[in-house]
Amino acid sequence: MTPSTDWSAYGKQIETAKTLADLEQVELAIFGRKQGAMTLAMQQLRDVTPEEKKTLAKELNEQKRTLDESIAAKRKALQTPSASSLANDDAIDPTLELPARERGHLHLIPEFIRQVEETFGRMGFDVAYGPEVEDEEMNFDLLNFPKEHSARDAQDVFYVQKDAPKDNKWLLRAHTSPVQIRYMREHKPPFRMICPGRVYRKDADATHSPMFHQWEGLMIGKDVSLANMKAVMETAVRELIAPDASFRWRTGYFPFVEPGLEMDMRWQGEDRQTREGAWLEIVGCGMVHPNVLKNVGIDPEQWQGFAFGFGVERMLMIKHQIPSIKSFYQGDLRFLRAF
Ligand code: PHE
């Protein structure tokens, strides 16, 4: 059966095609290489007289062009949003804010530790790490803690049940200060280093957690002074926490520094406490005790320097006004997403 040559009927079919697949059906019916109505009609031109051929060919070519054009136009229309949706003013609103695409990011604590490493890196400080399980010698003795010092109390320190000599038990380090010892044993002064990491103490309330993070700093040289220490620490706090912070220094006691100091800060942040102008204790520090230098084979007559120990969570709680230290560890995405 020869297909219909009612070209205007094909034209209607093109117009009413609802999908690209519909359109392809019509296109095939007209232009299909074997059975297409137009293909066959063109072939029939061979069988007519030259005069007939002239008029017929002209007519067919016109029909062919019209159909070609309407197929192309229809295809374009079906590929773009429909006319009715475009007519609606609200259909495309270029000012509309799309919901933010969720992206993962570092947890607040490792992110801050990276910033600490960068800030101190710019001041020439090396980064070192140490093990979380140490012994009493590393955590206390070499840091000049007297044998009977109260910080050694099992009330405060997690001891590890692992075979050890009676007077040198294994424990979870209570501060990052043992890394000072490790670093000084392995490096010749002068040097500057920080050592971030986890520390453990039997302490739990809104501002204390049995596990928390510190970063210790150590700088040893021929003439490293308290003035250098203040400059380094103030620069770091201004850069990491509050550019407008002011500082106050008080004496403090830590067996491994002499003199020992505590640094307090005050800033204009949103914190209710600080707005009243209260000073916040933030960090212990001081000049490394000559006994500590001797313990690692550094001559205290030739070398001197300072050490400090910041609490990571404490700094973040001040910076972001976080009331409870538990928020850091609960994995509550509503909290973590806020940073
Ligand atoms: N290790 C002390 C602490 O955890 C902090 C400190 C470090 C103090 C270095 C002085 C010098 O409390």
Side-chain angles (χ1 to χ4, degrees):
M1 199 187 87
T2 37
S4 154
T5 51
D6 182 350
W7 307 119
S8 67
Y10 288 116
K12 282 234 166 56
Q13 285 180 39
I14 293 168
E15 230 165 79
T16 54
K18 290 222 160 41
T19 63
L20 286 168
D22 286 351
L23 186 64
E24 261 156 42
Q25 283 299 319
V26 190
E27 191 176 18
L28 198 69
I30 308 168
F31 295 114
R33 268 178 9 105
K34 289 205 174 109
Q35 296 300 315
M38 185 60 76
T39 316
L40 294 177
M42 289 289 196
Q43 280 167 10
Q44 279 161 15
L45 287 178
R46 275 178 289 177
D47 308 329
V48 297
T49 63
E51 290 89 80
E52 281 176 325
K53 190 172 179 173
K54 218 174 165 191
T55 42
L56 203 55
K58 193 168 170 237
E59 193 201 316
L60 282 180
N61 275 325
E62 258 162 37
Q63 294 295 352
K64 182 173 182 286
R65 187 153 26 85
T66 317
L67 292 169
D68 261 340
E69 280 169 5
S70 42
I71 287 173
K74 187 69 182 181
R75 176 166 289 126
K76 214 168 164 193
L78 288 173
Q79 280 165 346
T80 46
S82 77
S84 64
S85 80
L86 279 175
N88 179 347
D89 276 348
D90 298 331
I92 294 177
D93 178 357
T95 65
L96 197 71
E97 274 208 28
L98 294 175
R101 181 101 62 92
E102 287 238 23
R103 279 214 247 141
H105 62 80
L106 278 182
H107 183 279
L108 203 50
I109 290 176
E111 183 194 53
F112 186 70
I113 290 176
R114 281 199 189 176
Q115 289 164 6
V116 167
E117 292 178 358
E118 262 173 49
T119 298
F120 281 89
R122 282 197 293 276
M123 292 192 275
F125 282 71
D126 190 11
V127 181
Y129 304 97
E132 289 168 33
V133 176
E134 291 279 16
D135 57 18
E136 288 186 293
E137 187 178 34
M138 293 295 289
N139 197 75
F140 296 123
D141 298 305
L142 293 167
L143 289 163
N144 200 38
F145 279 80
K147 276 283 178 214
E148 67 288 354
H149 194 284
S150 61
R152 296 173 181 253
D153 200 324
Q155 295 260 303
D156 301 322
V157 181
F158 291 102
Y159 285 92
V160 176
Q161 292 200 336
K162 180 179 159 189
D163 286 342
K166 220 171 63 245
D167 53 356
N168 190 18
K169 294 191 286 266
W170 292 102
L171 46 73
L172 298 181
R173 68 180 180 189
H175 49 183
T176 41
S177 304
V179 190
Q180 285 190 34
I181 304 293
R182 293 179 176 274
Y183 194 90
M184 288 194 285
R185 280 178 169 170
E186 283 164 21
H187 296 81
K188 282 203 181 332
F191 47 66
R192 309 167 193 195
M193 74 89 171
I194 57 160
C195 50
R198 291 194 188 103
V199 300
Y200 302 84
R201 285 179 207 176
K202 287 186 184 168
D203 228 349
D205 60 30
T207 54
H208 296 86
S209 153
M211 184 283 298
F212 63 102
H213 299 73
Q214 286 189 330
W215 85 91
E216 188 104 358
L218 176 71
M219 177 167 174
I220 303 288
K222 290 275 183 203
D223 51 12
V224 175
S225 70
L226 272 185
N228 298 139
M229 180 183 88
K230 287 172 69 175
V232 166
M233 292 172 69
E234 291 183 0
T235 303
V237 173
R238 290 209 171 97
E239 196 159 317
L240 290 161
I241 312 290
D244 60 355
S246 36
F247 302 96
R248 183 174 77 174
W249 302 81
R250 291 177 293 114
T251 53
Y253 172 71
F254 306 92
F256 38 95
V257 285
E258 180 58 38
L261 297 173
E262 299 215 20
M263 182 204 210
D264 299 343
M265 73 172 268
R266 185 160 69 173
W267 68 314
Q268 303 305 310
E270 294 294 306
D271 194 320
R272 270 164 268 109
Q273 306 164 352
T274 50
R275 202 184 276 160
E276 309 292 292
W279 288 98
L280 303 167
E281 290 175 26
I282 54 167
V283 48
C285 54
M287 296 300 286
V288 178
H289 198 291
N291 288 349
V292 174
L293 295 175
K294 276 188 223 148
N295 288 342
V296 293
I298 293 177
D299 180 1
E301 299 295 328
Q302 281 196 57
W303 301 100
Q304 62 178 37
F306 62 80
F308 53 77
F310 281 90
V312 171
E313 285 83 345
R314 175 131 181 83
M315 298 313 291
L316 283 170
M317 287 169 80
I318 292 172
K319 180 174 184 178
H320 300 296
Q321 296 101 47
I322 298 167
S324 167
I325 197 168
K326 293 199 181 74
S327 316
F328 290 110
Y329 319 119
Q330 282 167 335
D332 182 340
L333 293 180
R334 289 167 304 179
F335 169 77
L336 295 173
R337 278 201 192 106
F339 301 98

